[in-house]
């Protein structure tokens, strides 16, 4: 058969449902093969949007998301999604085209070394030089993309190789089970936990990638040890639970860090060094148990005393089966800290000023969304408020990026979430800057008939950088811009636009948009003027008194 047909059959054998992307001339054989396959092509308006959608598909399903681009500029537009997936541990395969490699009459037109370009930001990158190699290359790419730690892989399929004939046959995937932790490490962990005075559980990104929630829930119920989440660990356990002590949206100085400072042992589950540190270790300080699929990446603020390496759920199950809860554990202080955090949070959440405070916006979204609703975030200062103040009840229901932390991913992520979970409510929250980086994908969403709600927190500036600029004592320069009329903008694509005029209107408008099919956009003027006072002063002062 034709090599491009074999490539598509190999993708079908791996269970691929969608390919997101923009084909070019060099992909036309592959495009024709796709036309006759079970795989659905999701044509986007920019390769970056396709890459973000593929990465989010991988994040939500655990299966490899696939995206497609042509050579040259098409391939370079996948660099940011590649880094996004690689740092965020999202399984993704990028397929790019290339000019013929056996003979060429176009010189170096549009030709760059894409394989070498992708090497630093992928787990695996290769060029197909023979159709006979396709089965092994595809199988290896899927294996590496999905195994711990997941990430990005890339295959370049030149135009002449795609068109050639091959007699190769597909390879059957091997059966693989993740290794489990060695029993001496489990015993050492149990001894450290039982000997602790005030242990606490910290849940990170790695725990959100596999089905660890059940075992962690049983562990918390059995021991009574409270838990904290990192930004990318949100929702592994229900954050409305009384044992939830907060999220490490900041690296220090928040109420949750008073819990961490009181703890003499941190059980750190699924820690990923790509996240901003949830706490800072010090020599001769508190002890840390590292529970993860892989060994700890040590840095100046993270050097755990014990590592329990293996399948996370199994490790927690083994510990939970043998541990004896201790009446000497002192855990009451934790609840006092959390109570103070909630009391302070309530003040801003009920503030009626307009433009709206970000805390009030978070509360409106949380109140309007069902338990299993999915909120995707772009990148901006509001991400701290959502991580800190939005209690996620289920895993992967608040999708934020605390790894590459790129702007422009919020809308494509919401679109992928709706494709994966068509019966769930999906909202994306974007700043005006991040939304405009990939706003053209609104056309894709409308064309696909998706029902999503876009909330734009508008401050007419790159607000997070502006805040940092002010914090460093610099004058206001170079960060303010104008915006289109967002209501008219969404309507020009065939969506529905709304603009709120009072803080009290936001929740009702969100609920109305969730009830009516279509692509909705809500323009929400936001007031970030209290960010510095609240995050750098008030919270630090109040928490330090506990």
């Amino acid at each position: 058969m034709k090599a491009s047909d074999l490539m598509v059959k190999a993708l079908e054998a791996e269970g691929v449902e969608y390919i997101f992307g923009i084909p070019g001339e060099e992909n036309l054989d592959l495009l024709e093969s796709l036309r006759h396959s079970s795989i659905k092509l999701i044509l986007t308006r920019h390769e970056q949007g396709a890459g973000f959608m593929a990465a989010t598909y991988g994040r939500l399903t655990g299966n490899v998301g696939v995206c497609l681009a042509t050579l040259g500029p098409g391939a370079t537009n996948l660099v940011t999604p590649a880094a996004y997936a690689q740092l965020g541990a999202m399984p993704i395969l990028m397929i790019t085209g290339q000019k013929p490699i056996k003979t060429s009459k176009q010189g170096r037109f549009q030709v760059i070394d894409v394989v070498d370009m992708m090497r630093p930001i992928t787990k695996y990158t290769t060029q197909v030089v023979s159709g006979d190699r396709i089965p092994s290359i595809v199988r290896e790419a899927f294996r590496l993309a999905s195994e711990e730690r997941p990430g990005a892989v890339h295959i370049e399929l030149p135009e002449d190789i795609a068109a050639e004939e091959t007699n190769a046959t597909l390879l059957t995937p091997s059966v693989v089970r993740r290794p489990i932790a060695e029993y001496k490490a489990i015993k050492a962990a149990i001894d450290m936990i039982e000997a602790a005075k005030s242990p606490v559980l910290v849940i990170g990104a790695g725990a959100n990638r596999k089905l660890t929630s059940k075992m962690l829930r049983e562990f918390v119920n059995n021991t009574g040890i409270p838990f904290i989440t990192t930004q990318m660990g949100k929702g592994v356990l229900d954050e409305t639970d009384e044992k939830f002590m907060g999220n490490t949206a900041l690296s220090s100085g928040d109420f949750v860090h008073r819990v961490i400072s009181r703890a003499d042992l941190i059980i750190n589950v699924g820690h990923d060094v790509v996240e901003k540190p949830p706490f800072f270790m010090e020599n001769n300080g508190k002890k840390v148990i590292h529970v993860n699929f892989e060994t700890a990446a040590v840095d100046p603020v993270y050097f755990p005393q014990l590592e329990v390496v293996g399948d996370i759920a199994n490790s927690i199950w083994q510990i939970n089966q043998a541990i004896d809860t201790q009446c000497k554990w002192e855990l009451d202080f934790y609840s006092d800290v959390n109570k103070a955090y909630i009391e302070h949070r309530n003040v801003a959440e009920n503030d009626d000023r307009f433009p709206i405070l970000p805390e009030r916006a978070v509360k409106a979204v949380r109140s309007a969304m069902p338990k299993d609703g999915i909120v995707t975030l772009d990148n901006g200062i509001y991400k701290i408020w959502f991580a800190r103040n939005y209690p996620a009840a289920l895993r992967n229901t608040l999708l934020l990026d605390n790894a590459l932390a790129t702007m422009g991913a919020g809308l494509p992520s919401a679109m992928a979430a709706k494709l994966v979970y068509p019966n769930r409510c999906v909202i994306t929250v974007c700043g005006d800057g991040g939304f405009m980086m990939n706003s053209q994908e609104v056309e894709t969403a409308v064309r696909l008939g998706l029902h999503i709600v876009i909330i734009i927190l508008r401050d007419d500036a790159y607000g997070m950088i502006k805040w940092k600029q002010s914090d460093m004592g610099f004058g206001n320069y170079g960060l303010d811009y104008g915006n289109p009329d967002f209501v008219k903008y969404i309507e020009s694509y065939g969506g529905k636009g709304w603009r709120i005029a009072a803080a009290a209107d936001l929740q009702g408008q969100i609920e109305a948009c969730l009830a009516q099919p279509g692509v909705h956009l809500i323009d929400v003027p936001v007031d970030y003027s209290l960010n510095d006072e609240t995050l750098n002063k008030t919270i630090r002062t109040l928490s330090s008194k506990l």
Side-chain angles (χ1 to χ4, degrees):
M1 69 180 72
K2 195 165 68 170
S4 61
D5 291 337
L6 182 62
M7 171 73 90
V8 169
K9 288 186 180 299
L11 296 175
E12 288 176 329
E14 297 289 348
V16 175
E17 294 181 275
Y18 302 104
I19 291 182
F20 308 92
I22 303 177
E25 294 176 45
E26 291 71 27
N27 306 119
L28 288 177
D29 282 292
L30 188 63
L31 190 66
E32 177 64 12
S33 298
L34 277 174
R35 188 168 70 91
H36 300 286
S37 79
S38 62
I39 299 171
K40 184 175 181 181
L41 175 68
I42 304 296
L43 182 68
T44 61
R45 301 307 299 268
H46 194 287
E47 291 87 355
Q48 197 176 92
F52 290 143
M53 291 184 75
T56 303
Y57 177 93
R59 181 179 187 177
L60 289 171
T61 65
N63 301 321
V64 180
V66 183
C67 57
L68 173 69
T70 190
L71 80 170
T76 59
N77 281 342
L78 288 179
V79 167
T80 299
Y84 174 77
Q86 183 75 350
L87 280 186
M90 307 173 201
I92 179 179
L93 165 63
M94 298 167 288
I95 301 172
T96 60
Q98 188 53 275
K99 293 293 183 186
I101 57 174
K102 295 179 181 178
T103 60
S104 177
K105 298 179 180 179
Q106 292 188 319
R108 300 289 296 175
F109 176 66
Q110 288 194 313
V111 175
I112 59 172
D113 190 339
V114 176
V115 171
D116 213 35
M117 178 185 74
M118 289 292 186
R119 202 176 309 282
I121 52 174
T122 59
K123 296 178 73 175
Y124 174 75
T125 176
T126 192
Q127 181 187 74
V128 181
V129 297
S130 167
D132 294 345
R133 294 287 313 280
I134 286 173
S136 59
I137 286 175
V138 171
R139 180 81 282 278
E140 180 71 351
F142 273 78
R143 181 185 73 82
L144 290 170
S146 56
E147 74 177 15
E148 284 292 333
R149 184 179 181 270
V153 296
H154 165 249
I155 298 173
E156 181 177 82
L157 182 63
E159 184 178 5
D160 54 347
I161 303 300
E164 73 179 19
E165 295 295 313
T166 175
N167 293 317
T169 57
L170 300 180
L171 299 179
T172 303
S174 57
V175 177
V176 180
R177 296 286 295 174
R178 288 185 296 276
I180 62 174
E182 197 261 351
Y183 76 95
K184 289 182 181 178
I186 297 293
K187 178 63 166 60
I190 292 170
D191 290 344
M192 286 178 68
I193 298 169
E194 290 180 350
K197 181 179 178 182
S198 298
V200 71
L201 181 68
V202 176
I203 301 173
N208 222 341
R209 292 199 295 269
K210 299 293 186 288
L211 300 177
T212 64
S213 298
K214 182 175 184 291
M215 291 300 107
L216 285 166
R217 178 76 270 161
E218 291 180 4
F219 176 80
V220 170
N221 289 344
N222 179 37
T223 63
I225 295 174
F227 66 94
I228 290 165
T229 58
T230 70
Q231 290 191 40
M232 294 180 74
K234 287 187 69 66
V236 174
L237 294 182
D238 187 348
E239 294 175 351
T240 63
D241 189 284
E242 62 179 8
K243 293 296 181 184
F244 175 60
M245 296 293 111
N247 179 269
T248 56
L250 304 173
S251 290
S252 63
D254 204 345
F255 292 95
V256 70
H257 296 103
R258 296 293 293 128
V259 173
I260 290 171
S261 65
R262 176 64 68 94
D264 62 339
L265 174 67
I266 295 174
I267 309 160
N268 200 15
V269 179
H271 175 74
D272 198 323
V273 75
V274 301
E275 288 205 75
K276 286 185 177 180
F279 57 86
F280 299 122
M281 286 189 68
E282 298 177 359
N283 285 319
N284 303 316
K286 63 183 85 285
K287 292 182 173 147
V288 174
I289 301 174
H290 174 89
V291 183
N292 213 332
F293 299 107
E294 55 191 10
T295 55
V298 174
D299 65 22
V301 297
Y302 189 67
F303 39 91
Q305 289 85 357
L306 175 65
E307 299 184 34
V308 180
V309 180
D311 181 79
I312 291 177
N314 182 272
S315 295
I316 297 298
W317 176 80
Q318 288 191 68
I319 293 170
N320 197 37
Q321 289 296 300
I323 198 168
D324 289 326
T325 57
Q326 304 292 304
C327 59
K328 65 180 177 64
W329 284 337
E330 298 176 5
L331 307 175
D332 290 344
F333 173 75
Y334 296 161
S335 298
D336 294 339
V337 172
N338 192 247
K339 181 180 178 182
Y341 150 68
I342 292 173
E343 288 176 352
H344 174 259
R345 191 183 76 186
N346 286 343
V347 174
E349 286 183 338
N350 293 302
D351 192 310
D352 280 331
R353 79 183 67 194
F354 190 80
I356 197 170
L357 291 181
E359 301 98 308
R360 180 68 186 268
V362 173
K363 183 184 178 183
V365 174
R366 176 67 281 183
S367 298
M369 284 292 271
K371 187 176 181 179
D372 67 347
I374 298 173
V375 176
T376 73
L377 301 182
D378 207 273
N379 200 63
I381 188 61
Y382 53 87
K383 186 178 76 172
I384 291 176
W385 292 113
F386 270 88
R388 186 179 183 275
N389 291 14
Y390 186 99
L394 298 169
R395 63 185 291 268
N396 285 330
T397 53
L398 182 65
L399 298 184
L400 52 78
D401 169 25
N402 195 31
L404 185 65
T406 179
M407 299 171 72
L411 174 58
S413 294
M415 293 159 60
K418 194 64 179 181
L419 287 173
V420 173
Y421 296 112
N423 296 320
R424 290 201 199 178
C425 295
V426 175
I427 289 175
T428 184
V429 180
C430 308
D432 41 8
F435 172 72
M436 289 302 292
M437 288 188 178
N438 272 309
S439 65
Q440 72 282 342
E441 298 304 341
V442 167
E443 189 279 326
T444 309
V446 171
R447 173 167 29 93
L448 294 174
L450 300 181
H451 179 195
I452 59 174
V453 180
I454 304 162
I455 297 175
I456 295 182
L457 299 178
R458 177 171 55 83
D459 66 335
D460 302 309
Y462 291 115
M464 192 167 193
I465 312 306
K466 196 173 182 180
W467 173 39
K468 180 68 173 178
Q469 185 181 60
S470 174
D471 195 44
M472 294 175 68
F474 298 146
N476 179 22
Y477 177 75
L479 296 170
D480 295 297
Y481 48 69
N483 273 311
D485 182 325
F486 284 118
V487 172
K488 292 180 179 178
Y489 185 79
I490 193 76
E491 289 175 347
S492 72
Y493 284 109
K496 299 164 186 174
W498 317 89
R499 183 177 293 112
I500 67 162
D505 296 342
L506 180 56
Q507 180 180 336
Q509 186 60 69
I510 296 171
E511 291 171 347
C513 292
L514 290 173
Q516 183 181 7
V519 178
H520 298 263
L521 184 150
I522 308 174
D523 181 352
V524 184
V526 65
D527 179 3
Y528 288 134
S529 64
L530 297 183
N531 274 344
D532 185 61
E533 181 70 27
T534 303
L535 293 174
N536 289 338
K537 298 170 186 175
T538 304
I539 288 174
R540 291 177 182 272
T541 300
L542 291 174
S543 64
S544 67
K545 293 178 180 179
L546 295 169

